[in-house]
Amino acid sequence: MSFAKAFSPAIREIRILCSQSGAASAGTRQFIQSRYPTIKQNNPDLPVLIREASGTPARVFARFERGVEKHVELDNLSATDVETKVAQLLGS
């Protein structure tokens, strides 16, 4: 899945959780810095929530229509691996 296009309308919300300083969340923070502008540009009405808290394990949640929610763990992954995991989650 490319982040350079609009996502499926079935996706209602994306929540990204990570630690603002922890080494395990470095790839997730890098993903946010590089991909968030593109995601919001192509999906301006989609809520993308970013929550940073000390000691929080890196993970991303996606809420789909009918309240279905899925998530993947992102701790200790590179930015490229985070992108792949997020694309898989949003494509499911």
Side-chain angles (χ1 to χ4, degrees), residues 16-19 23-35 50-52 57-60 73-80 82-83 86:
I16 302 171
L17 285 71
C18 64
S19 172
S25 293
T28 303
R29 290 191 305 272
Q30 190 176 26
F31 168 80
I32 292 167
Q33 289 178 340
S34 64
R35 293 296 179 200
I50 299 170
R51 301 289 181 250
E52 293 180 315
R59 59 182 91 172
V60 63
E73 301 293 326
L74 304 174
D75 259 358
N76 297 311
L77 296 179
S78 69
T80 306
V82 169
E83 185 172 339
V86 171

Side-chain angles (χ1 to χ4, degrees), residues 18-75:
C18 64
S19 172
Q20 68 263 49
S21 58
S25 293
T28 303
R29 290 191 305 272
Q30 190 176 26
F31 168 80
I32 292 167
Q33 289 178 340
S34 64
R35 293 296 179 200
Y36 178 80
T38 305
I39 291 171
K40 283 309 286 183
Q41 179 181 4
N42 295 309
N43 302 278
D45 297 327
L46 177 68
V48 179
L49 310 171
I50 299 170
R51 301 289 181 250
E52 293 180 315
S54 182
T56 300
R59 59 182 91 172
V60 63
F61 291 82
R63 187 168 50 86
F64 298 88
E65 57 190 4
R66 302 179 200 256
V68 175
E69 206 168 278
K70 298 180 182 179
H71 80 279
V72 292
E73 301 293 326
L74 304 174
D75 259 358

